[in-house]
Amino acid sequence: MKFPDAQSVMQHALALARQGLGHVEPNPQVGAVLVDEDFNLLGAGYHENFGAAHAEVNAIRQAQGRAGDATLYVTLEPCCHTGQTGPCTSAILQAGIRRVVVATADPAAHTAGQGVEELKAAGVAVTVGLLEEEARALIAPFAKLQLKQRPFVHAKWAMSLDGKIATRTGSSQWISNEQSRAVVHELRGRMDAVLVGIGTALADDPLLTARPAGPRTACRVVLDSAARLPLNSQLAQTADSTPVLLVVSNNAAEEKVTQLQARGVEVVQEPSTSSNQAGQAISAAWILEELGRRNFTNLLVEGGAQLLGSFVDEQLVDEFHIFIAPKLIGGVTALSPVGGVGLEQVPQADQLILQSVKLLGNDIYLNGRWNNFYQTDT
C-alpha cells in the first residue's frame, strides 16, 4: 500500500484509532502508521484493548524489522511512562526510528509534552500538529477525564417532528423506529454509565442495557432523591448482574434504601442535599464528579426532560445524539426533550456543530457537539 502524501498517512492512522472505541477506555484511542520515504506502508496498528500493547508497538511489530529508516505517524504523543505497558518512547528508540509525526500532544499530566521532548533529546526529529483538530476531537473523552476529572457527557433523545418526546398522557413507546433504537443500543454498549432521572425510571421501567451487548457494560445510574425506585423494577431486579447506582438525598427513607441495597443496588448520597427539602434536585455537576472519581470516561444521559434540561442549562453536555421521527404529536402539555430553565433569548450563533446526519429508515439521526467544545481544552 502506498499513500499519496503525509496527510493521507495520518488519516489512515486516525481511522485505525477509531477501531478502539469502547475497548480502550479510560485510555485514549490511538493509531500509528510506519512508512518509508516514498510513503509505502511498512506497518500499522492501533490500541486495541485497555492494558494491551499501544498503537506504536503494534505498528513496529507489524513492520518486522523495517522500522529503522521509517517515519512513524501517530495520532497522539507517544507515552514516556510505565503503566499497563512500557513506554512507547522506549519502543520507538529501540526500533531505531529517526522521525516521528504526531497529530496532537497528550493532555495527561504524566505525558504533556514529555514524550516529545524525550524523543527529541535522543536525536529523533519530531513534528506535532498534522490533523490536530481531528485528533483532539477523537481523544475528547480521554482529555475531559484527564483535565476535569469528569466523564464526557453524551445526551440522547428521540422526538417527533414537532419536538415532542411523549404525548400529553405520557405515552412515548415508540417514537423512534427499530433502526434508531439499534443505534441507541450501540451507544449504550460503549458507555461507562447511562443516566436517567427517577421520573423516567418510574414512567418507562427501562432496563437501560445494550442489546446485543457491546464492548462495555454501562453502570445504570438513577437520580432519585427520595429512593422511590420500585423493588420490582427492571433496574432493581437486575442489579446483581448489571450495576445500578442510585443517587439519593439525606431525606431518603432508610428502610427503602436498605431494601434496594439488599437487591444489589449501590446507593450514594449527594452531600449538598443533607439539609435540603425532600425532592430537591440533585446536582448534575456533583454526579459528574462522582462518576469521574470512578474513572468513567463516557456518560450517556437519556432523560427525562428535566434531567436533560439541567445538563443543558449548566452547559454540561459535550455531544448530542438526536433521533427525529416523522410523526406529529401536538399538544400544549406534551413534553419537549429539554426542560430546565432554558434561555431568555434565541442564540445568534449555532450552539450545535453537526458531525453527521444519517437517515435511519424514515428517522433522522443528528450527531454533533457543542460549538464551544472547539474553543476549550476538552
Side-chain angles (χ1 to χ4, degrees):
M1 181 177 181
K2 180 179 173 64
F3 297 96
D5 51 32
Q7 183 165 304
S8 299
V9 179
M10 190 63 81
Q11 285 173 337
H12 185 59
L14 287 165
L16 288 172
R18 294 185 184 100
Q19 295 183 47
L21 180 63
H23 296 273
V24 302
E25 291 82 359
N27 283 355
Q29 301 168 70
V30 184
V33 178
L34 279 162
V35 296
D36 63 19
E37 60 183 7
D38 296 318
F39 298 115
N40 290 302
L41 177 64
L42 300 177
Y46 66 98
H47 185 31
E48 299 178 14
N49 292 286
F50 178 74
H54 287 189
E56 299 93 323
V57 172
N58 286 331
I60 291 168
R61 286 173 180 168
Q62 193 181 96
Q64 297 182 335
R66 297 175 294 168
D69 295 324
T71 297
L72 174 68
Y73 288 77
V74 61
T75 60
L76 183 66
E77 176 184 5
C79 66
C80 56
H81 66 285
T82 298
Q84 296 285 330
T85 63
C88 288
T89 49
S90 296
I92 291 168
L93 295 175
Q94 288 169 9
I97 295 170
R98 306 309 302 165
R99 183 166 182 257
V100 177
V101 180
V102 177
T104 189
D106 189 334
H110 54 252
T111 302
Q114 297 176 63
V116 167
E117 291 306 313
E118 184 175 313
L119 292 175
K120 287 182 176 179
V124 178
V126 183
T127 57
V128 180
L130 180 62
L131 299 185
E132 182 174 16
E133 184 175 326
E134 291 91 332
R136 289 184 66 236
L138 181 68
I139 64 161
F142 169 75
K144 179 82 172 289
L145 186 61
Q146 290 294 321
L147 298 175
K148 295 190 174 182
Q149 292 76 54
R150 291 181 175 184
F152 191 82
V153 178
H154 302 255
K156 162 263 167 184
W157 65 79
M159 66 182 184
S160 62
L161 198 59
D162 57 338
K164 306 294 185 180
I165 60 171
T167 69
R168 58 184 171 79
T169 64
S171 173
S172 62
Q173 296 182 347
W174 295 99
I175 289 176
S176 59
N177 63 23
E178 289 185 6
Q179 291 158 282
S180 293
R181 297 199 295 275
V183 172
V184 172
H185 283 290
E186 290 176 9
L187 283 171
R188 288 178 183 169
R190 60 180 175 86
M191 296 288 148
D192 293 298
V194 175
L195 174 66
V196 297
I198 185 58
T200 296
L202 293 174
D204 297 342
D205 189 22
L207 193 56
L208 300 179
T209 56
R211 304 181 294 278
R216 309 190 78 74
T217 299
C219 176
R220 299 165 299 170
V221 185
V222 183
L223 300 194
D224 182 11
S225 60
R228 292 187 292 152
L229 184 69
L231 295 173
N232 63 352
S233 65
Q234 291 198 89
L235 289 168
Q237 293 285 349
T238 59
D240 282 338
S241 58
T242 306
V244 175
L245 176 65
L246 200 70
V247 185
V248 303
S249 74
N250 192 50
N251 301 289
E254 186 175 340
E255 181 182 0
K256 185 61 184 298
V257 167
T258 301
Q259 291 173 338
L260 286 165
Q261 288 173 326
R263 289 289 174 89
V265 176
E266 182 183 359
V267 181
V268 295
Q269 179 194 325
E270 199 268 292
S272 68
T273 65
S274 59
S275 59
N276 289 347
Q277 296 297 313
Q280 181 161 337
I282 292 168
S283 164
W286 182 86
I287 191 61
L288 291 184
E289 292 169 3
E290 173 63 23
L291 297 181
R293 285 190 287 270
R294 295 166 185 255
N295 218 26
F296 287 177
T297 306
N298 286 287
L299 165 69
L300 181 62
V301 182
E302 292 210 23
Q306 280 303 113
L307 180 62
L308 285 164
S310 67
F311 271 79
V312 171
D313 282 343
E314 297 181 46
Q315 295 190 11
L316 296 175
V317 178
D318 299 296
E319 186 164 334
F320 291 85
H321 305 269
I322 304 169
F323 301 85
I324 305 173
K327 299 175 182 178
L328 295 174
I329 290 177
V332 174
T333 59
L335 286 173
S336 61
V338 181
V341 177
L343 300 177
E344 292 184 359
Q345 297 181 334
V346 175
Q348 297 306 300
D350 291 340
Q351 293 171 292
L352 187 65
I353 302 298
L354 288 177
Q355 298 181 123
S356 66
V357 179
K358 295 179 181 178
L359 195 61
L360 302 175
N362 286 325
D363 285 1
I364 299 172
Y365 169 36
L366 305 177
N367 173 227
R369 288 180 174 174
W370 272 115
N371 191 5
N372 64 6
F373 164 84
Y374 294 97
Q375 281 78 54
T376 69
D377 291 333
T378 61

